[in-house]
Amino acid sequence: MRMKYLIGLDIGTSSIKAVLMTTEGEVVKTARGGFTYTILDGGGIEIGANDFASVCLAAIKELAQSADGEICGVCAASASGNLLVLDKNNQPATPIYNWQDKRTTTEATDVLGDVDMDAFYRQNGWPFLPHSFPLSLLCYLKVHKPEVLKNCGKVCMSTEYLYYLLTGKWGITTSAGTTFYLMEQQTGKYVPELLEKLGISEDKVPPVMPCCSVLGGVLPEMEELCGLPAGTPIVLGTFDHPSAARGVGVLKEGEVLLSCGTSWVGFAPIEDRNKAADAGVLIDPFLSPQGGPWGTMVSVASVSEQLQRYVHRYIDDSDKAYSVLSSLAAKSTPGAGGLTLRPNEEPDDKKVEGYSKEDIARAIMEGTVALLQDKLDSIRKMGIDLTAAVMVGGPSVDPMWHKLIADICGISVRVLHGAHAGSVGAAMMAGIGIGLFKDEVDANRVFNK
């Protein structure tokens, strides 16, 4: 019998990770590609739309060429928030502005004026940031390049542009669209007040569609570029962390996904959206459209960079630094001989004087986990009894991290899919979209059996 496959994409800030999976849940091949950004004076961070697309299409093609059977569907999850404006011929009128772009100063305040930001947060699910993400950058364009918005054909984000190239059609989900900052999560409708202030009509933004919708089939002219046969179904996905939660089966309240990358993010299902909104945390629609839980996210921002600073200063600065850290920490005892370190603080050489390298290593790891514990406690304060965690990302390969998180945070920890949880979740959504699986529970029954 001819083998059948799914492709899942996880489009991150710096790279794309992709998996080719059988419809029975076996990962056959993985692919990865990196994005190269231009850093400008004044805080600008951008990449050419065609350069971005080429990296994504190359990853898809690499997987497609490894399939010895039918590819039944493709879906992308993404850490988006990367703005792109197209002209009336749907050609790029701007570069893709990365979500971290900081060229905006007072423009967002000037354009948005009297918008009630507390009400805005409760609509959108993410607190507004006046110096980054698409809404602030649209305000920047409104002030400095008004002709770009006035003459645009479409205002979108990078992942939706990739979908458009593949299918010739536009669509966006409320999860992926949260970082667009232009829509209401609960209704799935764009906010007229915001569009009016920007001078953008609703036909200039992608229509909102349910998660796992089949947007369309691959265009014949895209076959050579992406390696997929014309007509291959392309399915709309979500933000990256809710995709990873789907991929590892974190689907109900009491469970938490620990995604450990550049930042360490805790993603926890929550039944009552108002609890998350009252706490002011990031909210994702997650499974709510089907009557399931919402998702809430907390983050230890930039912790990998902070951790690296400590490790290279006190432990080792070779390419084996983290394995050295772990092996040394294992030789110390809980509490690191009384030494307390927090990687988010500036290193203090006097603080570590007199301590062994083993104790310093343990204190670094325990201090990192303590920062995570603070964030998990903020979830618990919403009334969620966290009992089980699934860890993904680079540090998940090291059992020492599992042990410390379990001991310090008081939670059971297991590891699944490592760095590819987001792309596995996207493959699941592709399977749901084409009718292979009934829902996420059904997909997990097959993929994670």
Side-chain angles (χ1 to χ4, degrees), residues 5-11 16-21 63 72-79 159 163 211-213 233-249 417 420-434 436-437 440 443-444 447:
Y5 298 93
L6 299 166
I7 288 179
L9 312 176
D10 181 0
I11 305 174
I16 176 174
K17 297 183 287 290
V19 295
L20 175 70
M21 304 187 70
L63 297 182
C72 301
V74 180
C75 178
S78 59
T159 304
Y163 281 136
C211 175
C212 301
S213 297
I234 303 298
V235 178
L236 293 178
T238 65
F239 192 62
D240 58 349
H241 298 302
S243 179
R246 287 170 166 88
V248 299
H417 298 313
H420 295 284
S423 40
V424 170
M428 285 184 177
M429 287 185 280
I432 294 169
I434 64 171
L436 182 65
F437 308 122
E440 284 80 0
N444 268 274
F447 271 36

Side-chain angles (χ1 to χ4, degrees), residues 217-239:
V218 170
L219 295 169
E221 57 265 33
M222 292 299 296
E223 282 189 277
E224 177 61 28
L225 288 172
C226 70
L228 298 170
T232 301
I234 303 298
V235 178
L236 293 178
T238 65
F239 192 62

